[in-house]
Amino acid sequence: MHIILQAKGLKKYYGSGEALVRALDGVDLEIEKDGFTAVIGTSGSGKSTLLNMLGGLDVPDEGSVTIDGTELSGLGDEAATVFRRRHIGFIFQNYNLIPVLNVWENIVFPITLDNHRPNEDFIMRLVSLLGLEGKLDRLPGSLSGGQQQRVAIARALSTKPSIILADEPTGNLDSRTSQAVIALLKKTSREFRQTIVMITHDPEIAAIADRVVRIEDGRIAGDTLTHSYEQHNIRNNSQRRIQP
Ligand SMILES: Nc1ncnc2c1ncn2[C@@H]1O[C@H](COP(=O)(O)OP(=O)(O)O)[C@@H](O)[C@H]1O
Ligand SMILES: [Mg+2]
């Protein structure tokens, strides 16, 4: 088992005295490579705070996050920005696409920021898996929510990051579109052996994951493997037998 992300003793408090909020109150979490983990919990339980710490978008008061052997708190601001761009793919509820760039430009944006040339074959495989072939020269504003989120997924995967972090990615989508988008995210991530940690409030979406972590009052209150986890592992084991 390969642990790609390890969080230890994460704490984040806001305010003081009567107004003290323990947004995170001692979270330990290990994320296995290739897994799809859903994070659930009521509003205000600390899910976004946790995800932001895992992705280095925010700094914990105490504790550490290590991704692929790199401890985030050991990086300076600039190195942290570059590390995030190369190793972490973020997906947000409001898509965060750049409105003046077309679909193709949005997808390859993190690659061009690094002054690298996009691997067109790889990007086109992503585009076709996500059903975006006919949309490459469109601006985000002319697409539906589900289409915009598929573009955001392609962008998150385009740099082949170590881990994808998604905060309520289907929060603005109707339930049928949500299911379709998450099914595509899962299929694409399996194809490219990606690791996903995804916050959701939707139990049907959480059921698609391999593992469900429940947060309550800034602590982990539940951590269970689902039926998909068993299927995924059975498949991996059988592949291992065929190709030692
Ligand atoms: N920047 C902040 N300043 C003050 N309180 C915050 C801040 N960010 C989050 N909180 C508080 O921390 C708690 C957890 O928030 P959050 O992680 O956003 O919850 P969730 O994503 O589960 O809805 C909430 O009580 C929230 O009000
Ligand atoms: Mg939140």
Side-chain angles (χ1 to χ4, degrees):
M1 182 165 96
H2 178 172
I3 301 298
I4 193 137
L5 181 151
Q6 185 172 46
K8 278 191 194 162
L10 291 183
K11 286 192 182 175
K12 184 77 176 181
Y13 291 0
Y14 292 108
S16 61
E18 293 277 283
L20 180 70
V21 174
R22 294 181 173 89
L24 285 184
D25 201 15
V27 168
D28 297 307
L29 185 65
E30 290 191 333
I31 300 292
E32 197 179 329
K33 185 169 157 45
D34 297 347
F36 184 172
T37 303
V39 176
I40 61 168
T42 53
S43 178
S45 57
K47 304 180 298 296
S48 293
T49 306
L50 173 62
L51 205 82
N52 291 343
M53 303 289 156
L54 297 185
L57 293 176
D58 201 352
V59 181
D61 297 337
E62 280 179 37
S64 65
V65 174
T66 305
I67 295 179
D68 249 354
T70 299
E71 196 192 319
L72 300 187
S73 63
L75 301 172
D77 278 354
E78 210 167 306
T81 303
V82 172
F83 183 87
R84 277 199 304 272
R85 195 157 69 221
R86 293 184 184 161
H87 295 264
I88 307 174
F90 291 98
I91 304 173
F92 299 101
Q93 179 169 348
N94 55 3
Y95 327 125
N96 283 15
L97 299 173
I98 299 171
V100 297
L101 299 183
N102 69 28
V103 165
W104 173 266
E105 292 161 343
N106 266 283
I107 293 172
V108 301
F109 187 67
I111 302 170
T112 51
L113 272 184
D114 260 342
N115 290 320
H116 290 149
R117 282 173 63 84
N119 173 340
E120 296 204 2
D121 290 344
F122 172 69
I123 303 292
M124 282 314 291
R125 272 174 71 205
L126 274 177
V127 162
S128 113
L129 273 167
L130 291 163
L132 292 167
E133 296 98 327
K135 307 279 186 272
L136 293 177
D137 54 5
R138 299 271 292 269
L139 293 177
S142 73
L143 302 176
S144 70
Q147 290 166 340
Q148 290 189 57
Q149 197 56 301
R150 283 187 272 140
V151 176
I153 290 170
R155 178 185 57 185
L157 287 154
S158 70
T159 57
K160 302 185 179 172
S162 311
I163 189 161
I164 307 279
L165 301 176
D167 192 345
E168 304 260 13
T170 61
N172 287 338
L173 304 176
D174 63 70
S175 73
R176 219 186 51 167
T177 309
S178 298
Q179 288 285 338
V181 165
I182 298 306
L184 279 172
L185 173 62
K186 183 170 174 175
K187 183 171 152 204
T188 314
S189 66
R190 286 279 194 258
E191 171 106 7
F192 300 113
R193 303 182 63 83
Q194 281 291 345
T195 311
I196 305 178
V197 178
M198 185 182 74
I199 296 176
T200 182
H201 61 267
D202 180 341
E204 281 183 52
I205 297 290
I208 298 176
D210 306 318
R211 175 184 176 193
V212 179
V213 172
R214 192 160 52 85
I215 307 290
E216 262 175 36
D217 298 329
R219 293 165 176 266
I220 291 183
D223 191 347
T224 48
L225 298 178
T226 66
H227 183 59
S228 321
Y229 178 84
E230 286 160 32
Q231 285 178 334
H232 179 45
N233 270 11
I234 290 164
R235 203 175 58 224
N236 278 354
N237 289 337
S238 59
Q239 278 171 355
R240 235 169 259 145
R241 274 200 298 279
I242 297 162
Q243 288 179 311

